[in-house]
Amino acid sequence: MAYDYAKYLRPGKLPHIWCAGCTYGIVLKSMIRAIDSLNYDKNDVVVTSGIGCCSRLPGYVDFNTLHTTHGRSIAFATGVKVANPKLKVIALGGDGDMTAIGGNHFIHACRRNIDITVFVFNNNIYGMTGAQYSPTTPKGAWATTAPYGMTENNFDITSLAIGAGASFVARTTAYHATHCEKMIKEALEHKGLSVVEIINACPTGFGRKNKFKTPTSMLLWMKDSAVNVEKAKNMSPEELAGKFTIGVLHKEEKPEYLETYDATVGLKK
Amino acid sequence: MAKAERIEINKKWCKGCEICVELCPTNALEMVDFKVAVKDLEKCIACMQCELRCPDFAIVVYKKEKE
């Protein structure tokens, strides 16, 4: 029996604006399956986004959605969560949206450990504005603003989140669609700030100029480069060179922001 | 023997990225006029790779009911 996505999609909005071969559609499908498996009421789910390609995602899903200013996805999500703590709040953003323009919002939300689920769609480039380099563009890669190759070091989003104090950090890829669904589900179930970095492909902005001839070659690159975090424990640093780990990288139980806040001001004993 | 009853393709939503065609392990799909089409339904083993990784919600595989 084929899975029916129609229940969670706004009628008349598809086809989406993403380019041919953009993997955001695969992640959208994984996200819908994950939310469906948790049996949340549609009215209890809030999806916020900033600016960028992935920030068009809330327009297609039939939840409470907010399309906000650049990098301020988490800021609006925090407001929603504080006003109504019963809601399940998901904040979306691209790599540039979350780590460059919204970098401060990102690290301080991690520090507070407020109960929001953050998905960072990492495609290594600013796709919508014309392939400028972002903080996650790998060294040596081509971008329109780095025509001789990227010279700066890049961010590791998951290490950044762990260092800033997020209580659940995971990484997954668009190729591993069922793994992605599992990680999204675990992140939604976790109480406290959960960050899921989802490695995506931008064939138009990044792939064409970086020796990926087709969208499929980018998906197969994810398949070859991803190593499960459990398997990586038994591997040497030489074996892990050029690869990245996927799975739950960090999980801990920590006091959640709204609970400690309510206790401090005397709303809760 | 074909394991899929039918494969539905929404040509209005398909953008022709070829992900499904290239990931298909049995070569049951092909490109016709920059859109995906079913080449040979008999070859389909209903592994659902195409449906799982289609970014455009354009391909749906209906498995055959077990007898």
Side-chain angles (χ1 to χ4, degrees), chain A:
Chain A
M1 182 57 206
Y3 186 86
D4 186 21
Y5 296 95
K7 197 169 103 183
Y8 290 94
L9 292 171
R10 287 193 178 135
K13 291 284 180 187
L14 286 176
H16 49 61
I17 60 135
W18 299 317
C19 304
C22 175
T23 54
Y24 285 172
I26 307 175
V27 181
L28 169 58
K29 283 161 93 171
S30 299
M31 196 176 123
I32 289 174
R33 289 198 304 272
I35 293 174
D36 187 37
S37 67
L38 289 166
N39 287 322
Y40 288 152
D41 186 40
K42 274 201 257 183
N43 293 323
D44 289 343
V45 180
V46 180
V47 187
T48 69
S49 70
I51 297 293
C53 293
C54 81
S55 302
R56 300 293 296 257
L57 190 151
Y60 306 116
V61 287
D62 194 15
F63 303 119
N64 303 293
T65 60
L66 264 175
H67 189 178
T68 71
T69 47
H70 206 352
R72 272 67 192 171
S73 177
I74 294 180
F76 283 82
T78 306
V80 171
K81 186 73 189 176
V82 172
N84 191 350
K86 282 179 198 158
L87 297 173
K88 273 277 153 197
V89 186
I90 300 168
L92 305 175
D95 48 323
D97 200 37
M98 282 292 182
T99 58
I101 299 101
N104 258 312
H105 293 296
F106 181 72
I107 55 172
H108 289 286
C110 290
R111 180 177 62 81
R112 285 189 198 111
N113 198 31
I114 186 165
D115 187 20
I116 294 173
T117 311
V118 180
F119 299 146
V120 186
F121 288 58
N122 182 2
N123 60 0
N124 302 328
I125 207 111
Y126 284 100
M128 184 175 264
T129 49
Q132 290 86 359
Y133 69 74
S134 79
T136 55
T137 306
K139 217 170 190 175
W142 181 94
T144 47
T145 44
Y148 304 108
M150 176 73 165
T151 50
E152 298 168 18
N153 295 319
N154 60 332
F155 254 143
D156 180 349
I157 296 172
T158 49
S159 304
L160 178 72
I162 295 168
S167 53
F168 179 96
V169 180
R171 193 194 278 125
T172 181
T173 80
Y175 175 83
H176 301 84
T178 42
H179 181 263
C180 182
E181 180 188 336
K182 208 177 128 200
M183 288 298 114
I184 290 176
K185 196 178 161 187
E186 275 190 45
L188 286 166
E189 282 176 322
H190 181 80
K191 191 151 180 79
L193 193 113
S194 30
V195 176
V196 184
E197 181 193 2
I198 306 162
I199 309 282
N200 274 286
C202 178
T204 310
F206 188 81
R208 281 186 308 147
K209 300 285 189 174
N210 287 291
K211 293 175 184 163
F212 292 106
K213 275 191 173 173
T214 60
T216 319
S217 66
M218 299 191 84
L219 282 176
L220 294 177
W221 168 80
M222 289 176 203
K223 183 191 175 191
D224 296 336
S225 312
V227 183
N228 195 294
V229 68
E230 295 301 321
K231 196 186 165 194
K233 280 177 188 165
N234 302 321
M235 286 167 78
S236 64
E238 291 81 40
E239 285 176 305
L240 284 170
K243 295 186 188 281
F244 55 84
T245 49
I246 57 167
V248 181
L249 305 177
H250 179 76
K251 192 174 182 179
E252 64 175 316
E253 293 299 323
K254 254 168 115 172
E256 198 263 329
Y257 172 70
L258 290 175
E259 282 179 357
T260 46
Y261 181 85
D262 286 353
T264 311
V265 299
L267 283 170
K268 205 174 182 181
K269 278 165 194 169

Side-chain angles (χ1 to χ4, degrees), chain A residues 16 18 21-22 25 29 175 216, chain B residues 15 17 22 51 53-56:
Chain A
H16 49 61
W18 299 317
C22 175
K29 283 161 93 171
Y175 175 83
T216 319
Chain B
K15 289 175 185 154
C17 65
E22 287 174 35
E51 189 191 314
R53 301 209 170 87
C54 172
D56 294 293

